[in-house]
C-alpha cells in the first residue's frame, strides 16, 4: 500500500518527492470531485476511481483523512470568506 | 555704698525705660501710640487690650508680596494647571514616541523560551545554551506532517537563505519535533536534509519534547503512548519563533507571514541590535 505501509517501524517520513507526489495525486482527485460537483470525498460513486486510486497509493491514510476533512471545511468556509471579502471591499469603498 | 551710686548714675545716663512687665511694655509701643504709619481701621478709641495686631500684619504682608487678590490666585492656579497639563501631555507624547522606537524590543517581550535539552539529527546533545551567540528561527512540527510543516520550513529556509546573502550564517534555523515517538534521529536526519543545509533537527523522548514545548508555549496533541508504527497526525502550534543571541524571544511568525515579511522583520531587529551594541550577534 504505497510507501507508507511497506516500511518497517518507524516508517520513514515522506520525503520531498513523496510529498509532491501525494499532493499532485490529491489535487487531481479533488479536481475530479469539483468537476462532478462532489464535496465529500468518497460520495462520488465510481466517477473518480482512477484519481482516487493514485491518491490512495501516494498518500498515507492519516494524510488522506486530513485532506478530505479539510476539503469539506474549506467548502463550508467559502461563503463566509466570500462574504468577509465583500464586506472588506465595501468598507474600503466607503472609506475612500 | 559706692556701688549704689554707680548703679544709679548708669541708669540715669542711658535713660533706661522702666517697664514693670511685658504688658506695660507692649502698650507703650503699640501702633496707635507709637506710630501713625497706617490709619486705624478698627478702633478709634484709646489703647485697647489686644494681644496680636492683625491689621498691622496684613499691611506688612501686602507690602511684602504685592497684590495678591483672589483673581490673582485664580490666575496663578489656572496657569499652573495649564502648564502641568501641557507638560504631562508632552511627556506622554515623548514616551509614546520612545515606545514606538523600542517597539517589541524590551517593552512587552513575551516569556517564550527557556532551558531545554534535546538531541540533534546528528545524535549530538543540544540545549538552549547552544543557541546563545546566534540568532535563531525555531519551528515546532513533526516529520509526518502533511502540508503545513513543510510549507513553513520551506519559508524559513528561504528566509535564512536571503539573510545568509546579506549577513553570512548568523541565523540558525532549528526544527524541534513534537512527535518524538516516530521522529527518531535517523528520521530527523532524512527530514532536515530536504530543507536548509544548516537546519538542525531536535528530538528526544516524550518528556523532553513536552518540557521544551512548555518553555516555548507550544501546544501539541501527541499522545504520550503513541507507537512508532502508528499512522496519526499531530495537532500543534504552527508559529515559528525568532530568538535573539541572548536566547530572548523577539517575534513569532504565523502562516500569514511570507518569507519576505520574516526577512524584513529579522533585518530590522539585526540593524537595531547592531546600532545598540555595535555588532551583529
Amino acid at each position: 500500500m504505497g510507501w507508507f505501509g511497506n516500511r518497517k517501524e518507524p516508517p520513514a517520513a515522506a520525503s520531498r518527492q513523496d510529498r509532491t507526489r501525494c499532493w499532485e495525486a490529491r489535487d487531481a482527485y479533488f479536481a475530479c470531485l469539483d468537476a462532478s460537483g462532489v464535496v465529500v470525498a468518497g460520495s462520488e460513486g465510481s466517477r473518480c476511481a482512477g484519481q482516487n486510486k493514485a491518491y490512495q497509493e501516494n498518500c498515507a491514510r492519516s494524510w488522506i483523512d486530513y485532506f478530505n476533512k479539510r476539503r469539506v471545511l474549506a467548502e463550508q468556509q467559502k461563503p463566509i470568506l466570500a462574504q468577509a471579502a465583500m464586506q472588506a471591499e465595501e468598507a474600503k469603498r466607503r472609506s475612500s | 555704698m559706692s556701688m549704689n551710686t554707680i548703679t544709679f548714675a548708669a541708669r540715669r545716663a542711658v535713660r533706661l525705660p522702666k517697664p514693670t512687665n511685658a504688658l506695660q511694655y507692649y502698650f507703650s509701643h503699640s501702633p496707635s501710640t507709637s506710630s501713625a504709619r497706617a490709619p486705624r481701621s478698627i478702633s478709634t478709641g484709646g489703647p485697647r487690650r489686644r494681644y496680636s495686631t492683625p491689621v498691622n500684619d496684613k499691611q506688612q504682608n501686602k507690602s511684602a508680596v504685592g497684590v495678591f487678590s483672589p483673581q490673582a490666585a485664580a490666575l496663578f492656579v489656572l496657569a499652573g494647571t495649564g502648564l502641568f497639563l501641557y507638560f504631562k501631555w508632552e511627556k506622554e507624547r515623548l514616551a509614546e514616541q520612545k515606545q514606538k522606537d523600542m517597539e517589541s524590543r524590551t517593552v512587552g517581550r513575551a516569556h517564550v523560551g527557556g532551558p531545554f535539552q534535546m538531541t540533534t539529527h546528528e545524535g549530538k546533545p543540544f540545549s538552549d545554551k547552544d543557541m546563545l551567540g546566534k540568532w535563531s528561527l525555531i519551528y515546532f512540527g513533526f516529520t509526518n506532517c502533511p502540508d503545513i510543516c513543510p510549507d513553513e520550513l520551506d519559508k524559513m529556509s528561504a528566509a535564512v537563505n536571503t539573510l545568509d546573502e546579506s549577513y553570512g550564517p548568523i541565523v540558525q534555523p532549528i526544527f524541534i519535533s513534537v512527535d518524538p515517538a516516530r521522529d527518531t534521529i535517523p528520521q530527523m536526519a532524512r527530514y532536515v536534509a530536504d530543507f536548509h543545509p544548516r537546519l538542525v533537527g531536535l528530538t528526544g523522548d516524550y518528556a523532553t519534547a513536552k518540557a521544551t514545548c512548555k518553555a516555548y508555549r507550544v501546544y501539541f496533541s501527541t499522545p504520550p503512548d503513541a507507537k512508532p508504527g502508528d499512522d496519526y497526525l499531530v495537532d500543534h502550534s504552527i508559529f515559528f519563533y525568532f530568538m535573539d543571541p541572548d536566547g530572548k524571544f523577539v517575534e513569532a511568525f504565523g502562516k500569514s507571514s511570507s518569507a519576505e515579511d520574516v526577512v524584513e522583520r529579522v533585518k530590522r531587529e539585526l540593524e537595531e541590535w547592531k546600532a545598540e551594541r555595535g555588532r551583529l550577534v
Side-chain angles (χ1 to χ4, degrees), chain B residues 20-62:
Chain B
T20 51
N21 58 39
L23 215 60
Q24 275 188 2
Y25 181 84
Y26 167 72
F27 282 128
S28 66
H29 288 82
S30 82
S32 59
T33 52
S34 68
S35 159
R37 211 178 67 182
R40 288 183 54 90
S41 55
I42 293 173
S43 170
T44 49
R48 287 183 57 175
R49 184 179 283 255
R50 286 160 32 90
Y51 296 93
S52 67
T53 55
V55 175
N56 195 30
D57 281 352
K58 206 172 169 183
Q59 299 297 335
Q60 279 179 348
N61 283 345
K62 194 163 180 171

mmCIF file of all heavy atoms in Angstrom, chain B residues 20-62:
data_model
loop_
_atom_site.group_PDB
_atom_site.id
_atom_site.type_symbol
_atom_site.label_atom_id
_atom_site.label_comp_id
_atom_site.label_asym_id
_atom_site.label_seq_id
_atom_site.Cartn_x
_atom_site.Cartn_y
_atom_site.Cartn_z
ATOM 1 N N THR B 20 7.673 97.660 83.955
ATOM 2 C CA THR B 20 7.495 96.796 85.115
ATOM 3 C C THR B 20 7.139 95.383 84.682
ATOM 4 O O THR B 20 7.460 94.429 85.355
ATOM 5 C CB THR B 20 6.395 97.334 86.042
ATOM 6 O OG1 THR B 20 5.241 97.583 85.247
ATOM 7 C CG2 THR B 20 6.838 98.592 86.720
ATOM 8 N N ASN B 21 6.449 95.292 83.535
ATOM 9 C CA ASN B 21 6.203 93.937 82.979
ATOM 10 C C ASN B 21 5.937 94.037 81.476
ATOM 11 O O ASN B 21 5.855 95.126 80.910
ATOM 12 C CB ASN B 21 5.056 93.241 83.702
ATOM 13 C CG ASN B 21 3.776 94.074 83.606
ATOM 14 O OD1 ASN B 21 3.514 94.655 82.554
ATOM 15 N ND2 ASN B 21 3.019 94.162 84.685
ATOM 16 N N ALA B 22 5.769 92.919 80.818
ATOM 17 C CA ALA B 22 5.647 92.856 79.360
ATOM 18 C C ALA B 22 4.415 93.580 78.848
ATOM 19 O O ALA B 22 4.446 94.247 77.819
ATOM 20 C CB ALA B 22 5.585 91.394 78.896
ATOM 21 N N LEU B 23 3.352 93.478 79.572
ATOM 22 C CA LEU B 23 2.106 94.105 79.127
ATOM 23 C C LEU B 23 2.258 95.613 79.044
ATOM 24 O O LEU B 23 1.876 96.234 78.058
ATOM 25 C CB LEU B 23 0.992 93.734 80.113
ATOM 26 C CG LEU B 23 -0.364 93.547 79.475
ATOM 27 C CD1 LEU B 23 -0.306 92.427 78.433
ATOM 28 C CD2 LEU B 23 -1.396 93.229 80.545
ATOM 29 N N GLN B 24 2.869 96.150 80.057
ATOM 30 C CA GLN B 24 3.087 97.604 80.050
ATOM 31 C C GLN B 24 3.989 98.012 78.907
ATOM 32 O O GLN B 24 3.760 98.997 78.231
ATOM 33 C CB GLN B 24 3.713 98.021 81.381
ATOM 34 C CG GLN B 24 2.663 98.248 82.441
ATOM 35 C CD GLN B 24 3.261 98.835 83.699
ATOM 36 O OE1 GLN B 24 4.471 99.099 83.748
ATOM 37 N NE2 GLN B 24 2.417 99.045 84.700
ATOM 38 N N TYR B 25 4.979 97.199 78.655
ATOM 39 C CA TYR B 25 5.910 97.495 77.570
ATOM 40 C C TYR B 25 5.179 97.514 76.246
ATOM 41 O O TYR B 25 5.320 98.419 75.444
ATOM 42 C CB TYR B 25 7.025 96.440 77.537
ATOM 43 C CG TYR B 25 8.016 96.709 76.446
ATOM 44 C CD1 TYR B 25 9.065 97.608 76.674
ATOM 45 C CD2 TYR B 25 7.912 96.094 75.201
ATOM 46 C CE1 TYR B 25 9.970 97.892 75.669
ATOM 47 C CE2 TYR B 25 8.813 96.381 74.207
ATOM 48 C CZ TYR B 25 9.853 97.272 74.450
ATOM 49 O OH TYR B 25 10.737 97.551 73.454
ATOM 50 N N TYR B 26 4.313 96.536 76.019
ATOM 51 C CA TYR B 26 3.574 96.447 74.767
ATOM 52 C C TYR B 26 2.741 97.699 74.547
ATOM 53 O O TYR B 26 2.743 98.306 73.491
ATOM 54 C CB TYR B 26 2.671 95.216 74.755
ATOM 55 C CG TYR B 26 1.672 95.265 73.632
ATOM 56 C CD1 TYR B 26 2.116 95.067 72.326
ATOM 57 C CD2 TYR B 26 0.351 95.590 73.857
ATOM 58 C CE1 TYR B 26 1.243 95.168 71.279
ATOM 59 C CE2 TYR B 26 -0.532 95.691 72.806
ATOM 60 C CZ TYR B 26 -0.090 95.479 71.521
ATOM 61 O OH TYR B 26 -0.966 95.608 70.482
ATOM 62 N N PHE B 27 2.009 98.097 75.599
ATOM 63 C CA PHE B 27 1.131 99.272 75.414
ATOM 64 C C PHE B 27 1.917 100.512 75.080
ATOM 65 O O PHE B 27 1.495 101.324 74.269
ATOM 66 C CB PHE B 27 0.271 99.505 76.670
ATOM 67 C CG PHE B 27 -0.886 98.552 76.734
ATOM 68 C CD1 PHE B 27 -1.136 97.785 77.860
ATOM 69 C CD2 PHE B 27 -1.725 98.431 75.621
ATOM 70 C CE1 PHE B 27 -2.206 96.925 77.896
ATOM 71 C CE2 PHE B 27 -2.783 97.559 75.677
ATOM 72 C CZ PHE B 27 -3.045 96.792 76.806
ATOM 73 N N SER B 28 3.038 100.620 75.702
ATOM 74 C CA SER B 28 3.796 101.833 75.440
ATOM 75 C C SER B 28 4.348 101.848 74.023
ATOM 76 O O SER B 28 4.746 102.882 73.525
ATOM 77 C CB SER B 28 4.943 101.959 76.453
ATOM 78 O OG SER B 28 5.859 100.907 76.236
ATOM 79 N N HIS B 29 4.397 100.675 73.312
ATOM 80 C CA HIS B 29 4.897 100.632 71.939
ATOM 81 C C HIS B 29 3.827 100.302 70.927
ATOM 82 O O HIS B 29 4.120 100.036 69.783
ATOM 83 C CB HIS B 29 5.999 99.587 71.820
ATOM 84 C CG HIS B 29 7.255 100.026 72.503
ATOM 85 N ND1 HIS B 29 7.428 99.893 73.860
ATOM 86 C CD2 HIS B 29 8.376 100.604 72.022
ATOM 87 C CE1 HIS B 29 8.606 100.358 74.206
ATOM 88 N NE2 HIS B 29 9.211 100.817 73.090
ATOM 89 N N SER B 30 2.558 100.264 71.316
ATOM 90 C CA SER B 30 1.508 99.867 70.365
ATOM 91 C C SER B 30 1.401 100.901 69.260
ATOM 92 O O SER B 30 1.695 102.071 69.454
ATOM 93 C CB SER B 30 0.177 99.721 71.094
ATOM 94 O OG SER B 30 -0.411 100.985 71.246
ATOM 95 N N PRO B 31 0.986 100.467 68.054
ATOM 96 C CA PRO B 31 0.985 101.364 66.888
ATOM 97 C C PRO B 31 0.177 102.639 67.115
ATOM 98 O O PRO B 31 0.524 103.700 66.610
ATOM 99 C CB PRO B 31 0.324 100.517 65.790
ATOM 100 C CG PRO B 31 0.345 99.120 66.269
ATOM 101 C CD PRO B 31 0.479 99.132 67.752
ATOM 102 N N SER B 32 -0.903 102.496 67.846
ATOM 103 C CA SER B 32 -1.761 103.676 67.998
ATOM 104 C C SER B 32 -1.053 104.799 68.726
ATOM 105 O O SER B 32 -1.351 105.964 68.486
ATOM 106 C CB SER B 32 -3.042 103.277 68.740
ATOM 107 O OG SER B 32 -2.677 102.735 70.011
ATOM 108 N N THR B 33 -0.117 104.423 69.505
ATOM 109 C CA THR B 33 0.560 105.481 70.236
ATOM 110 C C THR B 33 1.944 105.782 69.683
ATOM 111 O O THR B 33 2.363 106.920 69.671
ATOM 112 C CB THR B 33 0.709 105.093 71.726
ATOM 113 O OG1 THR B 33 1.306 103.784 71.777
ATOM 114 C CG2 THR B 33 -0.639 105.057 72.405
ATOM 115 N N SER B 34 2.614 104.752 69.147
ATOM 116 C CA SER B 34 3.996 104.985 68.744
ATOM 117 C C SER B 34 4.141 105.378 67.286
ATOM 118 O O SER B 34 5.117 105.967 66.904
ATOM 119 C CB SER B 34 4.830 103.739 69.032
ATOM 120 O OG SER B 34 4.413 102.708 68.161
ATOM 121 N N SER B 35 3.191 104.990 66.446
ATOM 122 C CA SER B 35 3.384 105.275 65.026
ATOM 123 C C SER B 35 2.056 105.637 64.363
ATOM 124 O O SER B 35 1.018 105.102 64.691
ATOM 125 C CB SER B 35 3.984 104.035 64.340
ATOM 126 O OG SER B 35 3.735 104.102 62.970
ATOM 127 N N ALA B 36 2.088 106.504 63.414
ATOM 128 C CA ALA B 36 0.886 106.888 62.684
ATOM 129 C C ALA B 36 0.977 106.424 61.232
ATOM 130 O O ALA B 36 0.349 106.990 60.352
ATOM 131 C CB ALA B 36 0.719 108.404 62.729
ATOM 132 N N ARG B 37 1.771 105.403 60.994
ATOM 133 C CA ARG B 37 2.022 104.983 59.621
ATOM 134 C C ARG B 37 0.749 104.489 58.936
ATOM 135 O O ARG B 37 0.473 104.809 57.799
ATOM 136 C CB ARG B 37 3.055 103.861 59.639
ATOM 137 C CG ARG B 37 3.906 103.850 58.409
ATOM 138 C CD ARG B 37 4.922 102.755 58.507
ATOM 139 N NE ARG B 37 4.249 101.463 58.470
ATOM 140 C CZ ARG B 37 4.882 100.311 58.580
ATOM 141 N NH1 ARG B 37 6.189 100.319 58.736
ATOM 142 N NH2 ARG B 37 4.235 99.179 58.543
ATOM 143 N N ALA B 38 -0.012 103.626 59.609
ATOM 144 C CA ALA B 38 -1.219 103.100 58.991
ATOM 145 C C ALA B 38 -2.435 103.662 59.670
ATOM 146 O O ALA B 38 -2.441 103.810 60.883
ATOM 147 C CB ALA B 38 -1.237 101.586 59.130
ATOM 148 N N PRO B 39 -3.428 103.993 58.884
ATOM 149 C CA PRO B 39 -4.632 104.504 59.511
ATOM 150 C C PRO B 39 -5.323 103.399 60.278
ATOM 151 O O PRO B 39 -5.381 102.268 59.843
ATOM 152 C CB PRO B 39 -5.479 104.956 58.321
ATOM 153 C CG PRO B 39 -4.984 104.168 57.164
ATOM 154 C CD PRO B 39 -3.544 103.893 57.442
ATOM 155 N N ARG B 40 -5.834 103.751 61.361
ATOM 156 C CA ARG B 40 -6.503 102.718 62.143
ATOM 157 C C ARG B 40 -7.875 102.464 61.559
ATOM 158 O O ARG B 40 -8.626 103.370 61.293
ATOM 159 C CB ARG B 40 -6.629 103.174 63.600
ATOM 160 C CG ARG B 40 -5.292 103.166 64.313
ATOM 161 C CD ARG B 40 -5.482 103.556 65.741
ATOM 162 N NE ARG B 40 -6.473 102.718 66.383
ATOM 163 C CZ ARG B 40 -6.159 101.593 67.003
ATOM 164 N NH1 ARG B 40 -4.914 101.202 67.047
ATOM 165 N NH2 ARG B 40 -7.083 100.870 67.572
ATOM 166 N N SER B 41 -8.157 101.227 61.363
ATOM 167 C CA SER B 41 -9.443 100.957 60.744
ATOM 168 C C SER B 41 -10.424 100.339 61.710
ATOM 169 O O SER B 41 -11.617 100.362 61.498
ATOM 170 C CB SER B 41 -9.261 100.000 59.560
ATOM 171 O OG SER B 41 -8.602 98.841 60.013
ATOM 172 N N ILE B 42 -9.922 99.763 62.718
ATOM 173 C CA ILE B 42 -10.845 99.051 63.596
ATOM 174 C C ILE B 42 -11.232 99.917 64.800
ATOM 175 O O ILE B 42 -12.403 100.189 65.043
ATOM 176 C CB ILE B 42 -10.233 97.722 64.057
ATOM 177 C CG1 ILE B 42 -10.098 96.794 62.840
ATOM 178 C CG2 ILE B 42 -11.077 97.082 65.146
ATOM 179 C CD1 ILE B 42 -9.356 95.528 63.109
ATOM 180 N N SER B 43 -10.252 100.356 65.478
ATOM 181 C CA SER B 43 -10.583 101.066 66.716
ATOM 182 C C SER B 43 -10.163 102.531 66.617
ATOM 183 O O SER B 43 -9.117 102.851 66.086
ATOM 184 C CB SER B 43 -9.864 100.381 67.890
ATOM 185 O OG SER B 43 -9.999 101.183 69.021
ATOM 186 N N THR B 44 -11.033 103.370 67.088
ATOM 187 C CA THR B 44 -10.668 104.779 67.111
ATOM 188 C C THR B 44 -10.464 105.271 68.533
ATOM 189 O O THR B 44 -10.127 106.408 68.756
ATOM 190 C CB THR B 44 -11.770 105.633 66.449
ATOM 191 O OG1 THR B 44 -13.022 105.236 67.017
ATOM 192 C CG2 THR B 44 -11.805 105.405 64.956
ATOM 193 N N GLY B 45 -10.716 104.389 69.450
ATOM 194 C CA GLY B 45 -10.555 104.757 70.851
ATOM 195 C C GLY B 45 -9.115 104.757 71.275
ATOM 196 O O GLY B 45 -8.217 104.668 70.447
ATOM 197 N N GLY B 46 -8.898 104.797 72.503
ATOM 198 C CA GLY B 46 -7.555 104.801 73.046
ATOM 199 C C GLY B 46 -6.956 103.409 72.947
ATOM 200 O O GLY B 46 -7.489 102.555 72.250
ATOM 201 N N PRO B 47 -5.880 103.263 73.603
ATOM 202 C CA PRO B 47 -5.219 101.947 73.588
ATOM 203 C C PRO B 47 -6.172 100.874 74.064
ATOM 204 O O PRO B 47 -6.873 101.056 75.042
ATOM 205 C CB PRO B 47 -4.061 102.122 74.577
ATOM 206 C CG PRO B 47 -3.982 103.551 74.869
ATOM 207 C CD PRO B 47 -5.278 104.203 74.490
ATOM 208 N N ARG B 48 -6.187 99.789 73.249
ATOM 209 C CA ARG B 48 -7.068 98.692 73.659
ATOM 210 C C ARG B 48 -6.242 97.479 74.003
ATOM 211 O O ARG B 48 -5.133 97.280 73.511
ATOM 212 C CB ARG B 48 -8.024 98.361 72.525
ATOM 213 C CG ARG B 48 -9.072 99.433 72.382
ATOM 214 C CD ARG B 48 -10.048 99.061 71.313
ATOM 215 N NE ARG B 48 -10.672 97.761 71.576
ATOM 216 C CZ ARG B 48 -11.640 97.290 70.803
ATOM 217 N NH1 ARG B 48 -12.065 97.981 69.775
ATOM 218 N NH2 ARG B 48 -12.165 96.128 71.064
ATOM 219 N N ARG B 49 -6.834 96.691 74.787
ATOM 220 C CA ARG B 49 -6.134 95.489 75.218
ATOM 221 C C ARG B 49 -6.184 94.465 74.080
ATOM 222 O O ARG B 49 -7.169 93.816 73.865
ATOM 223 C CB ARG B 49 -6.826 94.943 76.473
ATOM 224 C CG ARG B 49 -6.141 93.750 77.063
ATOM 225 C CD ARG B 49 -6.886 93.344 78.278
ATOM 226 N NE ARG B 49 -6.598 94.232 79.390
ATOM 227 C CZ ARG B 49 -5.803 93.882 80.418
ATOM 228 N NH1 ARG B 49 -5.259 92.686 80.432
ATOM 229 N NH2 ARG B 49 -5.587 94.703 81.385
ATOM 230 N N ARG B 50 -5.089 94.412 73.329
ATOM 231 C CA ARG B 50 -5.058 93.450 72.213
ATOM 232 C C ARG B 50 -3.751 92.668 72.242
ATOM 233 O O ARG B 50 -2.700 93.222 72.478
ATOM 234 C CB ARG B 50 -5.178 94.176 70.876
ATOM 235 C CG ARG B 50 -6.610 94.648 70.672
ATOM 236 C CD ARG B 50 -6.756 95.754 69.677
ATOM 237 N NE ARG B 50 -5.796 95.723 68.611
ATOM 238 C CZ ARG B 50 -5.986 95.084 67.479
ATOM 239 N NH1 ARG B 50 -7.066 94.384 67.271
ATOM 240 N NH2 ARG B 50 -5.095 95.143 66.548
ATOM 241 N N TYR B 51 -3.855 91.382 71.937
ATOM 242 C CA TYR B 51 -2.676 90.534 72.070
ATOM 243 C C TYR B 51 -2.022 90.196 70.734
ATOM 244 O O TYR B 51 -1.007 89.571 70.662
ATOM 245 C CB TYR B 51 -3.025 89.246 72.827
ATOM 246 C CG TYR B 51 -3.437 89.585 74.233
ATOM 247 C CD1 TYR B 51 -4.763 89.776 74.567
ATOM 248 C CD2 TYR B 51 -2.449 89.768 75.193
ATOM 249 C CE1 TYR B 51 -5.119 90.121 75.844
ATOM 250 C CE2 TYR B 51 -2.801 90.120 76.483
ATOM 251 C CZ TYR B 51 -4.148 90.297 76.807
ATOM 252 O OH TYR B 51 -4.494 90.647 78.075
ATOM 253 N N SER B 52 -2.650 90.610 69.661
ATOM 254 C CA SER B 52 -1.969 90.480 68.372
ATOM 255 C C SER B 52 -2.360 91.669 67.535
ATOM 256 O O SER B 52 -3.291 92.391 67.878
ATOM 257 C CB SER B 52 -2.396 89.188 67.675
ATOM 258 O OG SER B 52 -3.761 89.280 67.320
ATOM 259 N N THR B 53 -1.718 91.833 66.420
ATOM 260 C CA THR B 53 -2.007 93.006 65.608
ATOM 261 C C THR B 53 -2.314 92.596 64.180
ATOM 262 O O THR B 53 -1.508 92.767 63.283
ATOM 263 C CB THR B 53 -0.808 93.955 65.605
ATOM 264 O OG1 THR B 53 0.332 93.207 65.165
ATOM 265 C CG2 THR B 53 -0.551 94.530 66.955
ATOM 266 N N PRO B 54 -3.527 92.026 63.939
ATOM 267 C CA PRO B 54 -3.853 91.545 62.578
ATOM 268 C C PRO B 54 -3.810 92.649 61.540
ATOM 269 O O PRO B 54 -3.367 92.442 60.423
ATOM 270 C CB PRO B 54 -5.261 90.968 62.731
ATOM 271 C CG PRO B 54 -5.783 91.521 64.004
ATOM 272 C CD PRO B 54 -4.621 91.824 64.875
ATOM 273 N N VAL B 55 -4.282 93.777 61.847
ATOM 274 C CA VAL B 55 -4.315 94.871 60.869
ATOM 275 C C VAL B 55 -2.913 95.190 60.398
ATOM 276 O O VAL B 55 -2.626 95.245 59.221
ATOM 277 C CB VAL B 55 -4.986 96.105 61.495
ATOM 278 C CG1 VAL B 55 -4.916 97.277 60.537
ATOM 279 C CG2 VAL B 55 -6.427 95.801 61.858
ATOM 280 N N ASN B 56 -2.083 95.334 61.364
ATOM 281 C CA ASN B 56 -0.705 95.669 61.041
ATOM 282 C C ASN B 56 -0.037 94.576 60.190
ATOM 283 O O ASN B 56 0.632 94.857 59.216
ATOM 284 C CB ASN B 56 0.071 95.875 62.337
ATOM 285 C CG ASN B 56 1.386 96.577 62.071
ATOM 286 O OD1 ASN B 56 1.447 97.362 61.123
ATOM 287 N ND2 ASN B 56 2.376 96.293 62.860
ATOM 288 N N ASP B 57 -0.282 93.269 60.541
ATOM 289 C CA ASP B 57 0.307 92.156 59.790
ATOM 290 C C ASP B 57 -0.126 92.195 58.336
ATOM 291 O O ASP B 57 0.658 91.987 57.427
ATOM 292 C CB ASP B 57 -0.152 90.821 60.384
ATOM 293 C CG ASP B 57 0.665 90.499 61.638
ATOM 294 O OD1 ASP B 57 1.623 91.251 61.879
ATOM 295 O OD2 ASP B 57 0.320 89.531 62.340
ATOM 296 N N LYS B 58 -1.421 92.440 58.143
ATOM 297 C CA LYS B 58 -1.960 92.438 56.787
ATOM 298 C C LYS B 58 -1.274 93.506 55.938
ATOM 299 O O LYS B 58 -0.892 93.267 54.789
ATOM 300 C CB LYS B 58 -3.457 92.707 56.866
ATOM 301 C CG LYS B 58 -4.214 92.146 55.695
ATOM 302 C CD LYS B 58 -5.699 92.280 55.953
ATOM 303 C CE LYS B 58 -6.480 91.984 54.690
ATOM 304 N NZ LYS B 58 -7.908 92.170 54.910
ATOM 305 N N GLN B 59 -1.111 94.649 56.520
ATOM 306 C CA GLN B 59 -0.460 95.731 55.779
ATOM 307 C C GLN B 59 0.964 95.329 55.394
ATOM 308 O O GLN B 59 1.379 95.506 54.253
ATOM 309 C CB GLN B 59 -0.423 96.992 56.652
ATOM 310 C CG GLN B 59 -1.792 97.524 57.050
ATOM 311 C CD GLN B 59 -2.623 97.970 55.877
ATOM 312 O OE1 GLN B 59 -2.053 98.307 54.847
ATOM 313 N NE2 GLN B 59 -3.945 97.967 55.990
ATOM 314 N N GLN B 60 1.635 94.740 56.365
ATOM 315 C CA GLN B 60 3.031 94.367 56.092
ATOM 316 C C GLN B 60 3.100 93.305 54.998
ATOM 317 O O GLN B 60 3.937 93.373 54.110
ATOM 318 C CB GLN B 60 3.678 93.847 57.371
ATOM 319 C CG GLN B 60 4.143 94.987 58.260
ATOM 320 C CD GLN B 60 4.755 94.482 59.543
ATOM 321 O OE1 GLN B 60 4.626 93.303 59.868
ATOM 322 N NE2 GLN B 60 5.403 95.367 60.257
ATOM 323 N N ASN B 61 2.166 92.292 55.057
ATOM 324 C CA ASN B 61 2.160 91.254 54.024
ATOM 325 C C ASN B 61 1.959 91.843 52.654
ATOM 326 O O ASN B 61 2.595 91.461 51.685
ATOM 327 C CB ASN B 61 1.022 90.250 54.313
ATOM 328 C CG ASN B 61 1.425 89.302 55.437
ATOM 329 O OD1 ASN B 61 2.606 89.226 55.770
ATOM 330 N ND2 ASN B 61 0.460 88.623 56.005
ATOM 331 N N LYS B 62 1.059 92.768 52.597
ATOM 332 C CA LYS B 62 0.729 93.355 51.306
ATOM 333 C C LYS B 62 1.941 94.045 50.700
ATOM 334 O O LYS B 62 2.254 93.877 49.516
ATOM 335 C CB LYS B 62 -0.425 94.334 51.481
ATOM 336 C CG LYS B 62 -1.029 94.723 50.162
ATOM 337 C CD LYS B 62 -2.398 95.340 50.361
ATOM 338 C CE LYS B 62 -2.976 95.708 49.018
ATOM 339 N NZ LYS B 62 -4.363 96.110 49.126
#
